[in-house]
Amino acid sequence: MIHNWPLRLKCKVEGFTKELFYSLYEITNSKSDQSQKIKEQFVEILAHLGVTDADSTWDAFREQFPKIQQKLEKDAQAAFDKDPAASSIKEIYLAYPGFYAIAIYRMSHVLLNMGVQILPRMMSEYTHGITGTDIHPGAQIGESFFIDHATGIVIGQTSIIKNNVSIYQGVTLGSVQVSKELANVKRHPTIEDNVTIYANATILGGDITIGKNSIIGANVWITESIPPNTIVNHQGSIKTKIRNRYAS
């Protein structure tokens, strides 16, 4: 069977996602020209996806923007407080790929919770492509979330991340098994408050919890729960063989 899927819709969603972020503090005013422009894009996209009540869906989505903005302000502040390289909050908004990925996640998560299908995932995949950060819009992420460096991060659909969590590049919050039968099962970890997860750590499993105030070191592989206030390190070793370059 040959399907005539609207594949060019990917380009429209990319443009919509960019404009949505750029207009973060403008479209709360429903009468502004920019708000009307983005609404038209939104309605057109949902029409291609077979949604008939796009106008009312947009209005309900726009009403959530003040709450999204409040969450993003806390995310930006967390980035500024935790990254010594950050010179200002403005720099976070304009130059941090991790913050951009979080911003699109916050918006796509709201849309998914409203029952909008496909579009939230398209938004997250666009962001994945330009930041290297793959956050499924179904994940549940609390306040003051910080992603540093962004590249290579995977946060699965049923992940739960609570407040004041920091994640560095290469981290995976994944599933132990990949099976369609597990579609309605919690497959990804829970990260409690005030946890820091350093580069390239892999945490797998839906029944896994990383206890509050814990530090997960770089390059660890975790498939069992970690109690609160724990430091987990990868115990690596380096052996150096020194040879005299002039020896025969």
Side-chain angles (χ1 to χ4, degrees), residues 70-159:
Q70 290 173 5
K71 289 183 177 180
L72 289 177
E73 287 167 5
K74 292 181 179 180
D75 296 327
Q77 188 64 53
F80 179 72
D81 291 342
K82 294 177 180 180
D83 186 0
S87 63
S88 65
I89 295 293
K90 181 188 291 186
E91 183 179 4
I92 305 299
Y93 274 86
L94 297 180
Y96 272 54
F99 177 78
Y100 186 74
I102 293 170
I104 303 306
Y105 156 76
R106 298 280 187 207
M107 292 184 279
S108 64
H109 180 71
V110 168
L111 283 173
L112 188 66
N113 284 347
M114 290 171 55
V116 177
Q117 299 298 315
I118 303 179
L119 175 57
R121 190 64 188 272
M122 293 178 74
M123 292 168 63
S124 68
E125 285 306 310
Y126 164 68
T127 314
H128 179 196
I130 63 172
T131 67
T133 299
D134 183 4
I135 308 176
H136 194 286
Q140 300 177 45
I141 301 178
E143 296 182 345
S144 300
F145 184 43
F146 172 49
I147 292 176
D148 200 8
H149 302 298
T151 308
I153 290 171
V154 177
I155 299 174
Q157 178 188 18
T158 61
S159 299

Side-chain angles (χ1 to χ4, degrees), residues 15 17 27 68 111 120 135 143 156 167 183 185 188 221 224 227 244-245:
T17 304
I27 61 177
I68 295 172
L111 283 173
I135 308 176
E143 296 182 345
I167 291 181
V185 175
H188 306 95
W221 179 281
E224 59 184 43
N244 188 329
R245 62 181 294 195

